Amino acid sequence: MEKKITLAVKNLKKVIGKKEIIKGLTFDLREGEVFGFLGPNGAGKTTTIRMLVGLIKPTSGSIHICGYNLDEHFQEAMMSLGCIVENPELYPYLSGYNNLLHFARMLDGISGERIKEVTELVGLTERIHDKVKTYSLGMRQRLGIAQALLGRPKVLILDEPTNGLDPAGIREMREFIRFLAEDEGLSVLVSSHLLSEIQLLCDRVAIISKGTIIRTDTVQQLLANRERVVWRISPFEKGKQVLSSLTPMEEKEDGTILTEFDEEKIPEWNKQLVEAGVSVIEMNRKMPVLEDLFLELTGGDSIE
């Protein structure tokens, strides 16, 4: 059964001055999935997120949140959306509870029971009455997410949710985001510069470059058929000549050679090298990583 679409973006464009920043983006989020949004510097990722959360208006195109057109039914659409753009805005001299109480007053029908629910959900029950200035960065991120969840949104947008966290905090946040998607049924859009985290966290990924989405797919499909073999051989030139006659290959700066991974053919390639008097010093299977694909698709641009 296909999951319900909760966020639909169609042909979204943004022109600033005479420059087209966003050039017709189309993608969607589905119920209970974590969707990664990646883009190098100047790709338009932040501009897109600001349009999705209603901070700036698109030049053209449409954004639908749970069926509501953001332009025509802004209030109804925003009631289904929770977000943290950059860092959560919190009052450090108030307790976590009083922060949530303050934001709850801005929404209709948020009870004390709901504040208790989101506090438990983000794991802050024991510290919720402490002042926010005593919280760790990870706790502040959790409180920000609690704030975003007060109105029971169906879509949650998190801009760099692991920014500044230590490895333990990053893992904790990853597990929590997966919990929100899998157990609470939220659609979560995550932007991040940590490609390894996106690979571990997300069900699908959109890669944006120069205002255009260049690939959208599941992480598994993006990385399919990208396993490689790393060869360290001697003498190098002779080995390179043999391998290039057998399979497409790539010479690396560190003095190794990359070839495709073919379980049936590799023993034969190894045999051919040995028979040609080439020593195979090292032969390693290289698992695919999103970073390699990202650099290939964006021409080596740095991540935003």
Side-chain angles (χ1 to χ4, degrees):
M1 182 178 174
E2 193 165 332
K3 292 182 178 179
K4 180 181 175 184
I5 291 174
T6 52
L7 172 67
V9 177
K10 189 172 182 182
N11 201 25
L12 195 66
K13 296 182 181 181
K14 181 64 179 177
V15 178
I16 299 176
K18 294 183 178 180
K19 187 175 182 183
E20 191 175 35
I21 307 296
I22 304 299
K23 305 170 184 176
L25 301 190
T26 297
F27 63 93
D28 59 58
L29 265 71
R30 297 163 193 165
E31 196 173 49
E33 79 167 340
V34 182
F35 186 91
F37 199 54
L38 295 172
N41 290 319
K45 177 167 64 76
T46 301
T47 301
T48 302
I49 288 175
R50 288 180 179 276
M51 287 191 282
L52 296 181
V53 302
L55 291 175
I56 58 175
K57 285 180 71 70
T59 302
S60 63
S62 65
I63 300 167
H64 285 80
I65 301 171
C66 294
Y68 292 105
N69 185 305
L70 187 63
D71 188 42
E72 297 171 2
H73 303 282
F74 183 83
Q75 191 169 347
E76 293 88 343
M78 292 305 292
M79 284 175 67
S80 297
L81 180 73
C83 66
I84 300 178
V85 179
E86 295 171 354
N87 298 312
E89 295 295 329
L90 303 167
Y91 296 97
Y93 290 97
L94 293 179
S95 68
Y97 181 84
N98 283 330
N99 266 273
L100 292 179
L101 189 61
H102 173 72
F103 289 108
R105 290 179 182 134
M106 301 178 190
L107 303 168
D108 291 331
I110 305 300
S111 63
E113 187 60 33
R114 179 57 182 166
I115 293 176
K116 184 181 176 184
E117 283 175 10
V118 296
T119 300
E120 290 175 355
L121 193 63
V122 301
L124 283 178
T125 302
E126 292 183 7
R127 296 289 306 277
I128 196 64
H129 294 291
D130 295 345
K131 288 184 177 179
V132 168
K133 68 178 181 178
T134 68
Y135 284 12
S136 67
L137 186 58
M139 290 169 65
R140 291 182 189 215
Q141 289 285 61
R142 282 175 172 266
L143 184 63
I145 292 175
Q147 171 194 323
L149 295 175
L150 279 170
R152 293 185 172 84
K154 300 294 184 187
V155 179
L156 183 63
I157 295 178
L158 302 176
D159 188 11
E160 298 283 359
T162 59
N163 205 17
L165 298 181
D166 61 20
I170 289 172
R171 184 178 67 249
E172 202 174 89
M173 184 60 68
R174 180 175 72 233
E175 290 170 354
F176 178 57
I177 292 170
R178 288 296 333 168
F179 164 77
L180 289 176
E182 293 169 6
D183 290 48
E184 298 294 310
L186 267 71
S187 307
V188 187
L189 185 148
V190 178
S191 74
S192 178
H193 69 285
L194 298 175
L195 289 165
S196 58
E197 272 307 302
I198 288 290
Q199 186 170 340
L200 290 169
L201 174 64
C202 296
D203 301 297
R204 290 191 300 140
V205 177
I207 298 174
I208 176 174
S209 180
K210 298 174 183 175
T212 303
I213 289 179
I214 45 181
R215 284 288 296 276
T216 304
D217 215 326
T218 64
V219 173
Q220 289 80 8
Q221 282 300 313
L222 285 172
L223 299 179
N225 304 315
R226 295 186 62 83
E227 289 179 64
R228 297 290 182 265
V229 179
V230 181
W231 302 80
R232 194 175 297 278
I233 50 181
S234 181
F236 183 80
E237 290 301 325
K238 179 68 174 175
K240 186 171 77 168
Q241 186 180 346
V242 173
L243 281 174
S244 64
S245 70
L246 298 168
T247 181
M249 47 144 282
E250 179 185 353
E251 183 179 344
K252 307 299 287 183
E253 290 181 1
D254 64 357
T256 60
I257 287 175
L258 274 185
T259 68
E260 65 178 337
F261 174 78
D262 188 321
E263 201 161 6
E264 294 181 359
K265 293 179 181 176
I266 285 171
E268 177 60 28
W269 298 344
N270 186 55
K271 181 183 174 185
Q272 296 264 13
L273 285 165
V274 172
E275 288 179 349
V278 177
S279 298
V280 179
I281 301 165
E282 188 179 352
M283 182 174 61
N284 279 323
R285 184 176 179 180
K286 184 174 186 269
M287 301 304 289
V289 293
L290 193 55
E291 184 172 4
D292 292 340
L293 175 64
F294 178 87
L295 293 172
E296 180 184 310
L297 291 175
T298 62
D301 288 345
S302 60
I303 190 75
E304 198 169 59

